[in-house]
């Protein structure tokens, strides 16, 4: 992983919520970033993964929440 500051961590292989407002999904074996989600204007405060493992939810200090479909890696 790079030297960016992280606000929170969720296990999905590995997912991080960063102070730049982006959510990053990392390959657990290589350590490479495999997907970056945008949509927040401030730091990510919290991450969560649905019980089914189908959705990743991010909450930001900007007062917004985003839901991403993990299989598709797209914002809903």
């Amino acid at each position: 992983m790079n030297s960016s500051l992280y606000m929170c961590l969720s296990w999905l292989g590995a997912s991080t919520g960063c102070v730049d407002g982006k959510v990053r999904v990392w390959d657990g074996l290589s350590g490479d970033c495999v997907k970056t989600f945008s949509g927040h204007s401030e730091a990510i405060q919290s991450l969560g993964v649905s019980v089914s493992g189908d959705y990743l939810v991010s909450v930001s200090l900007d007062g917004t929440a985003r839901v991403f479909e993990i299989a598709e890696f797209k914002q809903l």
Side-chain angles (χ1 to χ4, degrees):
M1 292 197 242
N2 65 22
S3 61
S4 297
L5 295 175
Y6 302 105
M7 293 290 291
C8 53
L9 175 70
S10 172
W11 186 253
L12 170 71
S15 301
T16 55
C18 305
V19 296
D20 63 2
K22 295 185 173 133
V23 175
R24 292 176 175 85
V25 179
W26 304 88
D27 180 294
L29 294 176
S30 71
D32 294 332
C33 179
V34 294
K35 181 67 181 174
T36 300
F37 295 109
S38 299
H40 295 291
S41 61
E42 293 186 33
I44 305 298
Q45 184 176 18
S46 182
L47 288 177
V49 178
S50 66
V51 173
S52 66
D54 294 332
Y55 301 98
L56 175 66
V57 179
S58 60
V59 178
S60 171
L61 293 175
D62 65 12
T64 64
R66 303 280 185 240
V67 179
F68 302 97
E69 190 172 359
I70 294 170
E72 301 288 328
F73 288 116
K74 65 181 179 184
Q75 181 178 339
L76 298 178

